[in-house]
């Protein structure tokens, strides 16, 4: 790797932590995309794509809910891919390297949040003066200049120095270690699948996982028919289990909403707030306020429009919207619409106090975060990327980018709709969204689809096979192919995934410990020749 390549890869890492666009930052950091881009920078797109397909299942369910970063999936994509290409290493070695790298680099995010705590107080001082331009500079520009020093520079240095140290390493790896690393690469995807099952959280729907797994194991069904069958099953489940409720369509039934007699803001104004929010949701996360700076930044143009003749009220509005805020970016955009409606009525003279506005924000953050994290980050996004992983396993560069387009368009439109709905209905919008049966049925639909698809895709992602072959009469018997597969195909794989799921369901904090356990077990059993691809000796 030359210096220019190291600088460019460091720039990719910086772009990830800029957090521009929701959910652009989260999905661009997915290994399917990041590894492919690194491969392109280093002149080997195919290997980069293969690295992405191998690493992606490890972090498919990692969302960082609540602003907590437990593992850095971007760093765990960039460094292993660069090392594999620069050192001509086996991709299995990259997977083993991904886990410690992700844990190490995740600590930088804590440092960033500490720095942003200082920056948010700079915004407080600007709000006292009504200086909205200074707030925008601090919340958008300064926070990202700091990230150059924290992320871009260290990553470029590590890549440039580290790539030189792995040159020629591939020829020095013995066969037993190579097999151990290969086994690790087949075990580790069980972590991502197990965690996705846990965050879906519907133990009553586990039979759909079992059905999907053995359907794929017996028939080797392709992804597209598997998806179509999953959609049909999910639809039938929702239809036959739904409770009759007059509020089922409440989210979309807004024809009877009463428009306020007077409006100061236009639809374009509301969409502008949403676009500013969508662009900067997690850009300035801090320990003290989390998304507070981003919320205020999104509201500034309309606050200035509403309180253009009242500087003191404008200052007060800036200060109250710099306070703590944290929710899911798409579904939580309904809160922005509701708050805009309340600010507008306050500007028109309605008896709406500052406390009522802040209370509405505080009361709605959690419920909308719960819905968004469940539907978007726990089911929709992982399932979309998981669907495209097998296509990238062929070395194709496009699957990750198609997944990005699907997710971005879908989530942008959902957030835009909910923001406009929140503005139109005011506080009634929250009741319509949160109290109707629609959301519960939507979660059930994605739960069935997600677990069924996980079962089918687990057959492709996880491959735990007993390598031992025994002599029998005039030939040989493979324990895996001739005995275990005769009982149930892919039985060790099935038991491994269920075991990982059970451990994670007992305590999600086991994720880090379990990752190292799988690495250790894979290395040892692979090196001893117990696990691996069975090969029948020639007679």
């Amino acid at each position: 790797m030359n210096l220019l390549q190291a600088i460019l890869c460091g720039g990719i890492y910086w772009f990830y932590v800029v957090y521009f666009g929701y959910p652009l930052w989260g999905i661009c950091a997915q290994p399917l995309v990041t590894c492919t881009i690194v491969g392109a920078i280093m002149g080997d797109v195919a290997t980069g794509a293969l690295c992405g397909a191998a690493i992606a299942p490890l972090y498919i369910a990692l969302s960082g809910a609540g602003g907590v970063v437990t593992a850095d999936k971007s760093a765990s994509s960039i460094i292993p891919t660069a090392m594999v290409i620069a050192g001509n290493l086996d991709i299995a070695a990259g997977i083993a390297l991904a886990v410690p790298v992700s844990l190490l680099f995740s600590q930088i995010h804590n440092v960033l949040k500490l720095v942003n705590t200082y920056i948010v107080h700079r915004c407080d001082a600007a709000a006292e003066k009504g200086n909205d331009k200074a707030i925008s500079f601090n919340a958008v520009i300064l926070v990202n200049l700091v990230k150059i020093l924290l992320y871009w520079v260290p990553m470029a240095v590590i890549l440039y120095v580290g790539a030189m140290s792995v040159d020629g390493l591939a020829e020095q790896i013995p066969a037993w270690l190579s097999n151990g690393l290969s086994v690790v690469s087949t075990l580790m995807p069980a972590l991502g699948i197990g965690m996705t099952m846990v965050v879906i959280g519907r133990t009553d729907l586990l039979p759909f996982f079992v059905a999907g797994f053995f359907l794929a194991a017996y028939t080797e069904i392709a992804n597209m028919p598997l998806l179509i069958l999953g959609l049909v099953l999910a639809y039938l489940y929702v239809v036959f289990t739904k409770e009759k409720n007059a509020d089922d369509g409440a989210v979309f039934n807004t024809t009877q909403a009463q428009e306020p007699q007077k409006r100061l803001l236009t639809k374009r104004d509301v969409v502008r707030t949403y676009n500013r929010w969508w662009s900067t949701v997690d850009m300035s996360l801090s320990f003290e306020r989390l998304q507070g700076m981003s919320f205020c930044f999104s509201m500034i143009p309309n606050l200035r429009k509403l309180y253009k003749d009242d500087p003191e009220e404008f200052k007060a509005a800036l200060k109250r919207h710099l306070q703590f805020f944290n929710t899911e970016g798409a579904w939580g955009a309904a809160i922005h619409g509701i708050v805009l409606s309340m600010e507008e009525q306050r500007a028109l003279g309605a008896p709406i106090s500052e406390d009522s506005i802040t209370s509405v924000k505080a009361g709605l953050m959690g419920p909308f975060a719960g819905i968004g994290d469940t539907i978007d980050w726990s089911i929709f996004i992982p399932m979309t990327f998981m669907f495209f992983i097998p296509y990238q396993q062929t070395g194709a560069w496009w699957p990750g980018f198609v997944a990005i387009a699907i997710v971005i368009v879908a989530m942008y439109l959902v957030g835009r709709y909910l923001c406009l709905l929140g503005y139109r209905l005011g506080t009634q919008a929250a009741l319509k969204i949160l109290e109707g049966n629609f959301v519960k049925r939507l979660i059930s639909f994605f739960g069935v689809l997600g677990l069924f698809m996980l079962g089918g895709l687990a057959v492709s992602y996880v491959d735990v096979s007993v390598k031992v072959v025994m002599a029998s009469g005039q030939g040989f018997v493979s324990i895996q192919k001739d005995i275990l597969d005769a009982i149930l195909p892919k039985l060790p794989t099935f038991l491994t995934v269920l075991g990982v799921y059970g451990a994670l369901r007992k305590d999600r904090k086991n994720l880090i410990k379990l990752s190292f356990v799988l690495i250790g077990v894979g290395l040892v059993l692979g090196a001893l020749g117990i696990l691996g691809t069975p090969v029948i000796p020639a007679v």
Side-chain angles (χ1 to χ4, degrees):
M1 171 178 277
N2 58 44
L3 181 59
L4 177 59
Q5 290 172 329
I7 292 173
L8 291 175
C9 289
I12 294 298
Y13 188 44
W14 172 78
F15 174 76
Y16 161 65
V17 295
V18 164
Y19 297 153
F20 173 78
Y22 188 89
L24 182 62
W25 66 265
I27 58 179
C28 276
Q30 291 282 358
L32 283 186
V33 178
T34 306
C35 295
T36 302
I37 295 174
V38 172
I41 291 173
M42 298 192 66
D44 192 346
V45 176
T47 299
L50 291 173
C51 285
I55 297 174
L58 277 66
Y59 303 106
I60 203 72
L62 183 66
S63 64
V68 178
V69 180
T70 55
D72 191 323
K73 56 188 174 184
S74 184
S76 69
S77 301
I78 295 172
I79 293 180
T81 302
M83 297 300 114
V84 165
I85 296 176
N88 196 27
L89 301 175
D90 189 273
I91 293 176
I95 295 177
L97 182 61
V99 174
V101 166
S102 69
L103 297 176
L104 176 64
F105 275 78
S106 66
Q107 303 309 311
I108 302 178
H109 298 278
N110 293 328
V111 177
L112 176 65
K113 288 177 188 174
L114 286 173
V115 175
N116 285 347
T117 299
Y118 161 74
I119 294 177
V120 77
H121 288 294
R122 288 172 54 92
C123 290
D124 288 335
E128 289 286 350
K129 302 175 182 177
N131 190 350
D132 56 297
K133 292 183 179 179
I135 294 175
S136 298
F137 172 81
N138 283 284
V140 178
I141 304 300
L142 183 59
V143 293
N144 289 317
L145 291 177
V146 170
K147 293 172 187 176
I148 293 177
L149 298 177
L150 287 178
Y151 294 91
W152 192 335
V153 174
M155 176 61 76
V157 172
I158 289 172
L159 289 174
Y160 184 64
V161 175
M164 292 187 294
S165 65
V166 299
D167 186 32
L169 184 61
E171 292 77 11
Q172 304 174 29
I173 297 179
W176 60 268
L177 179 57
S178 178
N179 188 65
L181 290 171
S182 178
V183 171
V184 169
S185 70
T186 63
L187 280 174
M188 294 302 286
L191 275 178
I193 292 174
M195 180 55 74
T196 307
M197 294 168 66
V198 169
V199 296
I200 289 175
R202 294 288 299 272
T203 55
D204 58 312
L205 301 180
L206 281 179
F208 289 100
F209 171 83
V210 177
F213 184 93
F214 286 109
L215 173 66
Y218 277 107
T219 67
E220 298 183 355
I221 187 172
N223 272 13
M224 189 56 71
L226 184 71
L227 174 62
I228 294 172
L229 182 57
L231 288 169
V232 172
L233 288 175
Y235 171 75
L236 292 176
Y237 178 86
V238 170
V239 168
F240 287 109
T241 60
K242 77 172 183 178
E243 298 178 2
K244 298 299 181 181
N245 190 312
D247 294 330
D248 279 354
V251 175
F252 298 102
N253 182 18
T254 62
T255 57
Q256 298 180 355
Q258 297 296 318
E259 291 284 349
Q261 293 182 349
K262 185 177 181 181
R263 290 290 196 187
L264 298 176
L265 302 177
T266 65
K267 179 180 178 180
R268 183 177 180 180
D269 291 328
V270 179
V271 172
R272 184 180 184 185
T273 282
Y274 173 66
N275 287 338
R276 286 168 71 97
W277 166 250
W278 184 89
S279 300
T280 64
V281 174
D282 292 327
M283 187 174 286
S284 53
L285 289 176
S286 68
F287 278 125
E288 184 176 318
R289 310 279 179 86
L290 283 177
Q291 299 167 340
M293 282 190 278
S294 296
F295 189 97
C296 183
F297 172 75
S298 71
M299 301 288 288
I300 284 175
N302 286 326
L303 292 178
R304 178 167 288 282
K305 184 174 181 178
L306 292 173
Y307 301 117
K308 60 183 178 182
D309 299 324
D310 192 341
E312 293 305 315
E313 187 65 41
F314 178 63
K315 293 177 185 178
L318 291 176
K319 287 191 286 187
R320 63 175 167 265
H321 292 308
L322 273 172
Q323 299 309 306
F324 179 90
F325 187 79
N326 189 43
T327 194
E328 196 270 338
W331 286 79
I335 302 173
H336 294 68
I338 294 170
V339 169
L340 276 179
S341 179
M342 296 180 73
E343 290 284 4
E344 182 180 55
Q345 297 309 303
R346 177 179 171 85
L348 287 169
I352 297 178
S353 66
E354 291 188 67
D355 288 341
S356 64
I357 295 174
T358 55
S359 295
V360 166
K361 285 174 59 179
L364 295 179
M365 287 188 295
F368 279 107
I371 295 172
D373 286 341
T374 299
I375 294 176
D376 291 343
W377 293 97
S378 297
I379 303 177
F380 175 60
I381 293 177
M383 288 300 98
T384 301
F385 276 88
M386 198 164 281
F387 177 81
F388 283 98
I389 288 177
Y391 296 100
Q392 191 150 325
Q393 287 174 335
T394 64
W397 63 268
W398 56 266
F401 296 94
V402 173
I404 281 182
I406 292 172
V407 171
I408 287 179
V409 171
M411 291 183 65
Y412 176 84
L413 293 177
V414 167
R416 185 180 185 274
Y417 170 80
L418 291 174
C419 186
L420 289 168
L421 178 66
Y423 172 70
R424 181 180 178 185
L425 301 182
T427 54
Q428 295 179 32
L431 296 177
K432 285 187 173 291
I433 295 171
L434 298 174
E435 291 185 355
N437 247 5
F438 173 78
V439 171
K440 294 179 182 178
R441 290 166 54 196
L442 189 63
I443 292 174
S444 294
F445 177 87
F446 280 110
V448 171
L449 176 63
L451 286 172
F452 181 77
M453 290 295 294
L454 277 174
L457 295 173
V459 175
S460 301
Y461 298 161
V462 187
D463 184 15
V464 183
S465 299
V466 178
K467 189 177 183 179
V468 177
V469 176
M470 301 183 300
S472 175
Q474 299 299 317
F476 294 88
V477 174
S478 167
I479 292 180
Q480 178 64 50
K481 295 181 178 179
D482 299 321
I483 299 178
L484 295 178
D485 284 348
I487 300 172
L488 281 175
K490 301 285 185 177
L491 182 58
T493 297
F494 180 72
L495 295 177
T496 299
V497 174
L498 284 188
V500 170
Y501 164 70
L504 292 174
R505 183 169 178 266
K506 185 177 181 181
D507 186 358
R508 294 190 192 188
K509 296 179 181 178
N510 286 333
L511 179 63
I512 297 175
K513 182 192 302 183
L514 199 56
S515 64
F516 284 106
V517 169
L518 289 178
I519 290 176
V521 170
L523 284 174
V524 172
L525 297 185
L528 294 176
I530 297 175
L531 295 182
T533 302
V535 178
I536 305 295
V539 178

